[in-house]
Amino acid sequence: MAQGFIDWASLTEVANSYAGPMRDAYRWSAVSSIQATCGIVHGRQFRVLPSPGSRRLATEGPHDILRVAVTDLVDSTQLPTDAVDRTAAEVSHWAQDNTTQLRGIVDTCMSDPEALYGMRCGFDQWLATALGANREATTLRVGGLFDLSLRAPLSAVLEVSDQELVRAWEHSSEAAKLGTDSDLYVLVSRAHVLSILLRGRYHDLVARSAGIQVMHHPVRGPMLPELSEADLPPVPYELTNSERFMAQLLWASGFAERDADRRIRLWSDNVRLVRTAVLAEMIDLPHRTSESRALDTAVDAARSAGVRAHSRLVDDAIDLLLAAGVGALTSFVVNGWPDMITTLATYAGSRKEQIGARVAKQVLDSNRRLKRLAETPGRVTGRFSQAGGSGTVEGAA
């Protein structure tokens, strides 16, 4: 995943997952952490997408430890003011034109999230973390527990006046203290959910207009623009079984430390070691004929790179993912921007060749590696396959 965007919400899940014992990590924190780990190892440079507001990325606590730890791997991007204003206005107008639909999405998020995201999605744990442990970090980043730069669509969808919304934003940090039954908590939680959904659409449009890649947090899915596959079919990039074990191993390795801050630092150190070794072709992670050999290959490669690798932690991580109904990360899929087809480096040298044939050739290429994701701009999602089954569970599910 090279020269692409990732939202800060996905990266913060790395810190969230290390807040307690591995068994307490909720589904989205595990999914996002492993996807981000894999992308950072095999990509060249992520850039964090900011919100439509004017604030630069600001963090504190474990999130600040994370930001500092990945400074040389993940940039904080400031977009041109005209691009920010133009895209934010587009999202705002779209939201105000679709208030009934969006109100229904927010209602479903709050009352039956599994209907939108799938069984055991982790929405409730994610929201409790966002309004609880992450409350101060979120407030520092966007000024409150929701993004007031999107006040017009928030007011319209949530059916509150601008004054009520501003008052809730000013007192949003008090919501958790008042309890989940308070009117303020209900309004702030709904505003937080709607805000993060709208920012996801904003990020998607920014990436599309720039002709680059974007990886979204799973919660963003319901409001992302639909992508037609008629002109540009999805391009899958399958991981070898030793590559996916490496991603799980690196995430699991952080749990060798006892507290969250040291876990984050250990994870980032290990990711950096393996990333350097992979890009320098000092280690190889080929497909193996059995899962046990693939795990041994990943552990040997990690140790060769200098990682403190513990098979027991990897086993625990696998058990956690299976218990959460996730399975193992098996591939990334790039859904291309349809109007960017003529700029795709993947197809630049052979426009006369049928797109379907090109995709098929890529899928069958035995030498493909995750770093080739750089060739195709578009929306990137991860696929998680259930152990022993043929179905897949989308990373965004």
Side-chain angles (χ1 to χ4, degrees), residues 132-175:
N134 290 351
R135 183 175 69 252
E136 292 182 1
T138 302
T139 300
L140 179 64
R141 191 167 72 253
V142 297
L145 285 178
F146 54 90
D147 196 336
L148 201 60
S149 66
L150 297 167
R151 60 201 293 173
L154 288 174
S155 294
V157 174
L158 299 177
E159 299 181 287
V160 296
S161 68
D162 184 74
Q163 292 81 1
E164 288 178 275
L165 190 69
V166 172
R167 188 160 51 250
W169 180 80
E170 291 173 343
H171 297 279
S172 57
S173 61
E174 302 170 13

Short mmCIF file of all heavy atoms in Angstrom, two decimals, residues 132-175:
data_model
loop_
_atom_site.label_atom_id
_atom_site.label_comp_id
_atom_site.label_asym_id
_atom_site.label_seq_id
_atom_site.Cartn_x
_atom_site.Cartn_y
_atom_site.Cartn_z
N GLY A 132 -15.24 6.65 25.82
CA GLY A 132 -14.68 6.41 27.15
C GLY A 132 -13.19 6.64 27.19
O GLY A 132 -12.71 7.76 27.37
N ALA A 133 -12.42 5.57 26.99
CA ALA A 133 -10.96 5.65 27.10
C ALA A 133 -10.35 6.65 26.14
O ALA A 133 -9.33 7.29 26.43
CB ALA A 133 -10.35 4.26 26.89
N ASN A 134 -10.96 6.79 24.95
CA ASN A 134 -10.40 7.70 23.93
C ASN A 134 -11.01 9.09 23.97
O ASN A 134 -10.75 9.91 23.08
CB ASN A 134 -10.60 7.10 22.53
CG ASN A 134 -9.74 5.89 22.29
OD1 ASN A 134 -8.87 5.57 23.09
ND2 ASN A 134 -9.98 5.19 21.19
N ARG A 135 -11.84 9.37 24.96
CA ARG A 135 -12.59 10.63 24.97
C ARG A 135 -11.66 11.85 24.90
O ARG A 135 -11.87 12.75 24.08
CB ARG A 135 -13.46 10.70 26.23
CG ARG A 135 -14.33 11.94 26.31
CD ARG A 135 -15.26 11.90 27.50
NE ARG A 135 -14.55 12.02 28.75
CZ ARG A 135 -14.38 11.00 29.63
NH1 ARG A 135 -14.86 9.82 29.35
NH2 ARG A 135 -13.72 11.18 30.76
N GLU A 136 -10.65 11.89 25.74
CA GLU A 136 -9.76 13.05 25.77
C GLU A 136 -8.95 13.16 24.48
O GLU A 136 -8.72 14.27 23.98
CB GLU A 136 -8.84 12.98 26.99
CG GLU A 136 -9.58 13.14 28.31
CD GLU A 136 -8.65 13.10 29.50
OE1 GLU A 136 -7.43 12.97 29.29
OE2 GLU A 136 -9.14 13.21 30.64
N ALA A 137 -8.51 12.02 23.94
CA ALA A 137 -7.73 12.04 22.70
C ALA A 137 -8.59 12.54 21.54
O ALA A 137 -8.12 13.34 20.70
CB ALA A 137 -7.18 10.65 22.40
N THR A 138 -9.84 12.09 21.48
CA THR A 138 -10.74 12.53 20.41
C THR A 138 -11.04 14.02 20.54
O THR A 138 -11.05 14.76 19.54
CB THR A 138 -12.06 11.73 20.44
OG1 THR A 138 -11.76 10.34 20.31
CG2 THR A 138 -12.98 12.17 19.31
N THR A 139 -11.28 14.47 21.75
CA THR A 139 -11.56 15.88 21.99
C THR A 139 -10.39 16.76 21.57
O THR A 139 -10.57 17.82 20.96
CB THR A 139 -11.89 16.13 23.48
OG1 THR A 139 -13.04 15.35 23.84
CG2 THR A 139 -12.17 17.60 23.75
N LEU A 140 -9.18 16.30 21.86
CA LEU A 140 -8.00 17.06 21.48
C LEU A 140 -7.88 17.15 19.96
O LEU A 140 -7.50 18.19 19.41
CB LEU A 140 -6.74 16.40 22.07
CG LEU A 140 -5.41 17.07 21.75
CD1 LEU A 140 -5.36 18.46 22.37
CD2 LEU A 140 -4.25 16.21 22.28
N ARG A 141 -8.26 16.06 19.27
CA ARG A 141 -8.06 16.02 17.82
C ARG A 141 -9.08 16.86 17.07
O ARG A 141 -8.75 17.53 16.10
CB ARG A 141 -8.11 14.56 17.34
CG ARG A 141 -7.64 14.37 15.91
CD ARG A 141 -7.41 12.91 15.57
NE ARG A 141 -8.64 12.16 15.45
CZ ARG A 141 -9.07 11.28 16.34
NH1 ARG A 141 -8.38 11.06 17.44
NH2 ARG A 141 -10.19 10.62 16.16
N VAL A 142 -10.34 16.80 17.48
CA VAL A 142 -11.37 17.52 16.71
C VAL A 142 -12.11 18.58 17.54
O VAL A 142 -13.09 19.15 17.08
CB VAL A 142 -12.40 16.54 16.09
CG1 VAL A 142 -11.73 15.62 15.10
CG2 VAL A 142 -13.11 15.73 17.17
N GLY A 143 -11.64 18.83 18.77
CA GLY A 143 -12.22 19.88 19.58
C GLY A 143 -13.36 19.42 20.46
O GLY A 143 -13.74 20.10 21.41
N GLY A 144 -13.94 18.29 20.14
CA GLY A 144 -15.05 17.72 20.91
C GLY A 144 -15.19 16.27 20.52
O GLY A 144 -14.32 15.70 19.86
N LEU A 145 -16.28 15.64 20.89
CA LEU A 145 -16.46 14.22 20.55
C LEU A 145 -17.09 14.02 19.18
O LEU A 145 -17.42 12.91 18.81
CB LEU A 145 -17.29 13.52 21.63
CG LEU A 145 -16.51 13.25 22.92
CD1 LEU A 145 -17.41 12.60 23.96
CD2 LEU A 145 -15.30 12.37 22.65
N PHE A 146 -17.26 15.11 18.45
CA PHE A 146 -17.66 15.00 17.05
C PHE A 146 -17.12 16.22 16.31
O PHE A 146 -16.68 17.21 16.93
CB PHE A 146 -19.18 14.85 16.89
CG PHE A 146 -20.00 15.92 17.57
CD1 PHE A 146 -20.35 17.09 16.91
CD2 PHE A 146 -20.45 15.73 18.88
CE1 PHE A 146 -21.12 18.07 17.54
CE2 PHE A 146 -21.21 16.71 19.51
CZ PHE A 146 -21.55 17.87 18.85
N ASP A 147 -17.14 16.17 15.00
CA ASP A 147 -16.50 17.18 14.17
C ASP A 147 -17.48 18.30 13.84
O ASP A 147 -18.38 18.15 13.01
CB ASP A 147 -15.99 16.52 12.87
CG ASP A 147 -14.98 17.38 12.14
OD1 ASP A 147 -14.99 18.60 12.33
OD2 ASP A 147 -14.19 16.81 11.37
N LEU A 148 -17.30 19.45 14.48
CA LEU A 148 -18.24 20.56 14.30
C LEU A 148 -18.10 21.22 12.93
O LEU A 148 -18.98 21.98 12.53
CB LEU A 148 -18.03 21.60 15.41
CG LEU A 148 -19.20 22.55 15.68
CD1 LEU A 148 -20.44 21.77 16.08
CD2 LEU A 148 -18.84 23.56 16.76
N SER A 149 -17.03 20.91 12.19
CA SER A 149 -16.93 21.46 10.84
C SER A 149 -18.01 20.88 9.93
O SER A 149 -18.27 21.41 8.85
CB SER A 149 -15.54 21.18 10.26
OG SER A 149 -15.33 19.79 10.06
N LEU A 150 -18.66 19.80 10.39
CA LEU A 150 -19.75 19.19 9.63
C LEU A 150 -21.10 19.52 10.29
O LEU A 150 -22.05 18.75 10.19
CB LEU A 150 -19.56 17.67 9.58
CG LEU A 150 -18.30 17.18 8.87
CD1 LEU A 150 -18.05 15.70 9.16
CD2 LEU A 150 -18.41 17.40 7.36
N ARG A 151 -21.20 20.66 10.92
CA ARG A 151 -22.37 21.01 11.72
C ARG A 151 -23.66 21.05 10.92
O ARG A 151 -24.72 20.64 11.42
CB ARG A 151 -22.15 22.35 12.42
CG ARG A 151 -21.91 23.51 11.47
CD ARG A 151 -21.20 24.66 12.16
NE ARG A 151 -22.03 25.31 13.18
CZ ARG A 151 -21.56 26.25 14.01
NH1 ARG A 151 -20.29 26.63 13.94
NH2 ARG A 151 -22.36 26.83 14.88
N ALA A 152 -23.63 21.54 9.68
CA ALA A 152 -24.86 21.64 8.90
C ALA A 152 -25.50 20.27 8.66
O ALA A 152 -26.69 20.07 8.96
CB ALA A 152 -24.60 22.37 7.58
N PRO A 153 -24.76 19.29 8.11
CA PRO A 153 -25.39 17.97 7.93
C PRO A 153 -25.70 17.28 9.26
O PRO A 153 -26.69 16.54 9.35
CB PRO A 153 -24.35 17.19 7.12
CG PRO A 153 -23.06 17.88 7.34
CD PRO A 153 -23.41 19.32 7.51
N LEU A 154 -24.89 17.49 10.28
CA LEU A 154 -25.17 16.89 11.58
C LEU A 154 -26.50 17.40 12.13
O LEU A 154 -27.34 16.61 12.60
CB LEU A 154 -24.04 17.21 12.57
CG LEU A 154 -22.70 16.50 12.36
CD1 LEU A 154 -21.66 17.02 13.34
CD2 LEU A 154 -22.84 15.00 12.51
N SER A 155 -26.73 18.69 12.06
CA SER A 155 -27.98 19.26 12.54
C SER A 155 -29.17 18.72 11.75
O SER A 155 -30.21 18.38 12.33
CB SER A 155 -27.94 20.79 12.43
OG SER A 155 -26.99 21.35 13.28
N ALA A 156 -29.01 18.63 10.43
CA ALA A 156 -30.11 18.19 9.58
C ALA A 156 -30.47 16.73 9.84
O ALA A 156 -31.65 16.39 10.00
CB ALA A 156 -29.73 18.38 8.11
N VAL A 157 -29.47 15.87 9.91
CA VAL A 157 -29.72 14.44 10.08
C VAL A 157 -30.20 14.14 11.49
O VAL A 157 -31.12 13.33 11.69
CB VAL A 157 -28.45 13.62 9.75
CG1 VAL A 157 -28.68 12.14 10.07
CG2 VAL A 157 -28.07 13.79 8.28
N LEU A 158 -29.61 14.77 12.48
CA LEU A 158 -29.95 14.49 13.87
C LEU A 158 -31.18 15.27 14.35
O LEU A 158 -31.63 15.08 15.48
CB LEU A 158 -28.76 14.81 14.78
CG LEU A 158 -27.49 13.99 14.49
CD1 LEU A 158 -26.35 14.45 15.39
CD2 LEU A 158 -27.74 12.50 14.67
N GLU A 159 -31.68 16.16 13.50
CA GLU A 159 -32.89 16.93 13.79
C GLU A 159 -32.76 17.76 15.07
O GLU A 159 -33.64 17.73 15.94
CB GLU A 159 -34.11 16.01 13.87
CG GLU A 159 -34.40 15.25 12.59
CD GLU A 159 -35.62 14.36 12.69
OE1 GLU A 159 -35.53 13.31 13.36
OE2 GLU A 159 -36.66 14.71 12.10
N VAL A 160 -31.66 18.47 15.16
CA VAL A 160 -31.47 19.40 16.27
C VAL A 160 -31.06 20.75 15.68
O VAL A 160 -30.56 20.83 14.56
CB VAL A 160 -30.38 18.92 17.26
CG1 VAL A 160 -30.81 17.63 17.94
CG2 VAL A 160 -29.04 18.75 16.56
N SER A 161 -31.29 21.79 16.43
CA SER A 161 -30.90 23.12 15.95
C SER A 161 -29.38 23.27 16.01
O SER A 161 -28.68 22.53 16.71
CB SER A 161 -31.56 24.20 16.80
OG SER A 161 -31.01 24.19 18.12
N ASP A 162 -28.89 24.25 15.29
CA ASP A 162 -27.46 24.54 15.31
C ASP A 162 -27.00 24.89 16.72
O ASP A 162 -25.93 24.46 17.16
CB ASP A 162 -27.14 25.69 14.35
CG ASP A 162 -25.66 25.97 14.24
OD1 ASP A 162 -24.96 25.16 13.60
OD2 ASP A 162 -25.20 26.98 14.81
N GLN A 163 -27.82 25.63 17.44
CA GLN A 163 -27.48 26.02 18.80
C GLN A 163 -27.39 24.80 19.72
O GLN A 163 -26.48 24.69 20.56
CB GLN A 163 -28.51 27.00 19.37
CG GLN A 163 -28.51 28.38 18.70
CD GLN A 163 -29.29 28.38 17.38
OE1 GLN A 163 -29.85 27.36 16.98
NE2 GLN A 163 -29.32 29.54 16.74
N GLU A 164 -28.34 23.87 19.59
CA GLU A 164 -28.30 22.64 20.39
C GLU A 164 -27.05 21.84 20.10
O GLU A 164 -26.42 21.27 21.00
CB GLU A 164 -29.54 21.80 20.12
CG GLU A 164 -30.84 22.33 20.67
CD GLU A 164 -32.00 21.44 20.29
OE1 GLU A 164 -32.55 21.61 19.18
OE2 GLU A 164 -32.34 20.55 21.11
N LEU A 165 -26.69 21.75 18.82
CA LEU A 165 -25.52 20.97 18.42
C LEU A 165 -24.24 21.59 18.99
O LEU A 165 -23.38 20.87 19.52
CB LEU A 165 -25.43 20.90 16.89
CG LEU A 165 -24.39 19.92 16.33
CD1 LEU A 165 -24.81 18.48 16.61
CD2 LEU A 165 -24.20 20.13 14.84
N VAL A 166 -24.12 22.90 18.87
CA VAL A 166 -22.93 23.58 19.40
C VAL A 166 -22.84 23.40 20.90
O VAL A 166 -21.76 23.16 21.46
CB VAL A 166 -22.95 25.08 19.03
CG1 VAL A 166 -21.83 25.83 19.75
CG2 VAL A 166 -22.82 25.26 17.52
N ARG A 167 -23.97 23.49 21.58
CA ARG A 167 -23.98 23.33 23.04
C ARG A 167 -23.55 21.90 23.42
O ARG A 167 -22.79 21.71 24.38
CB ARG A 167 -25.37 23.64 23.59
CG ARG A 167 -25.42 23.70 25.11
CD ARG A 167 -26.63 24.47 25.61
NE ARG A 167 -27.87 24.00 25.01
CZ ARG A 167 -28.60 24.70 24.13
NH1 ARG A 167 -28.20 25.91 23.75
NH2 ARG A 167 -29.73 24.21 23.64
N ALA A 168 -24.04 20.92 22.67
CA ALA A 168 -23.65 19.53 22.92
C ALA A 168 -22.15 19.33 22.67
O ALA A 168 -21.47 18.61 23.42
CB ALA A 168 -24.46 18.59 22.04
N TRP A 169 -21.64 19.98 21.63
CA TRP A 169 -20.20 19.88 21.32
C TRP A 169 -19.37 20.48 22.45
O TRP A 169 -18.35 19.91 22.85
CB TRP A 169 -19.94 20.59 20.00
CG TRP A 169 -18.51 20.58 19.53
CD1 TRP A 169 -17.87 19.56 18.90
CD2 TRP A 169 -17.56 21.65 19.66
NE1 TRP A 169 -16.57 19.92 18.62
CE2 TRP A 169 -16.36 21.20 19.07
CE3 TRP A 169 -17.61 22.93 20.19
CZ2 TRP A 169 -15.21 21.98 19.01
CZ3 TRP A 169 -16.47 23.73 20.14
CH2 TRP A 169 -15.28 23.25 19.56
N GLU A 170 -19.81 21.60 22.96
CA GLU A 170 -19.06 22.28 24.03
C GLU A 170 -19.05 21.46 25.32
O GLU A 170 -18.10 21.52 26.10
CB GLU A 170 -19.67 23.65 24.30
CG GLU A 170 -19.47 24.65 23.16
CD GLU A 170 -20.24 25.94 23.38
OE1 GLU A 170 -21.17 25.94 24.23
OE2 GLU A 170 -19.93 26.95 22.71
N HIS A 171 -20.11 20.68 25.55
CA HIS A 171 -20.22 19.91 26.79
C HIS A 171 -20.07 18.40 26.54
O HIS A 171 -20.42 17.61 27.42
CB HIS A 171 -21.57 20.18 27.46
CG HIS A 171 -21.75 21.61 27.89
ND1 HIS A 171 -21.22 22.11 29.06
CD2 HIS A 171 -22.39 22.65 27.29
CE1 HIS A 171 -21.52 23.39 29.18
NE2 HIS A 171 -22.23 23.75 28.11
N SER A 172 -19.56 18.03 25.38
CA SER A 172 -19.53 16.60 25.02
C SER A 172 -18.68 15.77 25.97
O SER A 172 -18.97 14.59 26.20
CB SER A 172 -19.03 16.43 23.58
OG SER A 172 -17.75 17.01 23.41
N SER A 173 -17.63 16.38 26.55
CA SER A 173 -16.79 15.62 27.46
C SER A 173 -17.54 15.23 28.74
O SER A 173 -17.10 14.34 29.47
CB SER A 173 -15.54 16.42 27.83
OG SER A 173 -15.89 17.63 28.48
N GLU A 174 -18.65 15.89 29.02
CA GLU A 174 -19.44 15.59 30.22
C GLU A 174 -20.42 14.44 29.98
O GLU A 174 -21.00 13.92 30.93
CB GLU A 174 -20.23 16.82 30.64
CG GLU A 174 -19.38 18.06 30.93
CD GLU A 174 -20.23 19.30 31.12
OE1 GLU A 174 -21.46 19.14 31.27
OE2 GLU A 174 -19.68 20.41 31.10
N ALA A 175 -20.58 14.04 28.71
CA ALA A 175 -21.61 13.06 28.37
C ALA A 175 -21.41 11.74 29.09
O ALA A 175 -22.36 11.16 29.64
CB ALA A 175 -21.63 12.83 26.85
#
